[in-house]
Amino acid sequence: MIQKKLDQITRRIEQARRSPQKARDLERIAQQLGRTKVNRGKEPTWESELPGRPPLSIPHHGGRDIAIGTRNSILDFLEDDVMALQEILDQE
């Protein structure tokens, strides 16, 4: 992953914090960060290809916006993925 793409993802996360989000919007960001959807648990779960990163659940609630606290928690996880990828880029 290149720095330009990480910067774009960071901007998308910042924009997502300022407006209501649906699950599919957050799932797109997760996909851009290399997370893949796996079939386990009640809610759709996304696993990272990065070592040591925990799985992330992004709930679907009938197409409604995700609650603010849930949205912020998911975005915190995704920001941690960005930081982990940034560390890998810096080492290369």
Side-chain angles (χ1 to χ4, degrees):
M1 187 169 290
I2 59 173
Q3 184 64 46
K4 184 177 177 181
K5 187 172 180 180
L6 276 180
D7 292 341
Q8 289 173 343
I9 294 169
T10 301
R11 281 192 300 276
R12 283 190 73 186
I13 290 172
E14 289 170 2
Q15 291 171 348
R17 286 198 185 276
R18 288 180 257 150
S19 63
Q21 298 294 307
K22 299 203 182 305
R24 69 178 177 269
D25 300 326
L26 298 176
E27 288 176 343
R28 284 187 195 122
I29 297 171
Q31 283 179 320
Q32 288 181 322
L33 288 168
R35 286 189 173 264
T36 54
K37 191 173 183 179
V38 294
N39 193 12
R40 71 180 205 193
K42 285 183 170 181
E43 300 291 349
T45 304
W46 294 80
E47 285 188 346
S48 178
E49 59 189 28
L50 300 171
R53 296 295 303 145
L56 171 64
S57 292
I58 302 177
H60 285 260
H61 291 241
R64 296 181 314 209
D65 293 338
I66 293 181
I68 293 170
T70 305
R71 178 194 70 198
N72 289 337
S73 177
I74 292 168
L75 291 172
D76 288 344
F77 258 84
L78 296 174
E79 280 182 339
D80 289 345
D81 284 356
V82 169
M83 287 189 279
L85 286 167
Q86 185 66 50
E87 287 178 16
I88 291 170
L89 269 180
D90 291 344
Q91 291 175 359
E92 292 178 355

